[in-house]
Amino acid sequence: METATLKIEGMTCNGCVSAVKKALERTDGVSSADVALDTGNARVTYDATRTTPARLRAAVEDAGYDVAA
């Protein structure tokens, strides 16, 4: 298992946190996602043989949020 920390931009409420968390957890290979509104960080544990950081980023962007470079 690998761990990635993504800096999420555009979250303003707990509903945003929930949307990002669900988008990440629906990604094939993700075993857990913890999203914090106060820091804007998402910590994702995933199977590197089934997904990539680029796919994690795409899941967040598809949910309507940005990921800082």
Side-chain angles (χ1 to χ4, degrees), residues 17-35:
V17 170
S18 179
V20 171
K21 181 176 174 67
K22 285 179 185 176
L24 288 166
E25 289 179 339
R26 280 191 222 125
T27 303
D28 183 50
V30 171
S31 63
S32 69
D34 296 309
V35 183

Side-chain angles (χ1 to χ4, degrees), residues 4-65:
T5 300
L6 306 173
K7 181 69 173 172
I8 312 298
E9 297 177 337
M11 294 191 302
T12 59
C13 65
N14 286 329
C16 299
V17 170
S18 179
V20 171
K21 181 176 174 67
K22 285 179 185 176
L24 288 166
E25 289 179 339
R26 280 191 222 125
T27 303
D28 183 50
V30 171
S31 63
S32 69
D34 296 309
V35 183
L37 180 61
D38 59 339
T39 63
N41 288 333
R43 184 175 171 95
V44 186
T45 303
Y46 65 97
D47 181 343
T49 65
R50 294 173 53 199
T51 197
T52 64
R55 288 186 185 148
L56 301 176
R57 175 185 292 267
V60 172
E61 291 171 348
D62 288 348
Y65 302 89

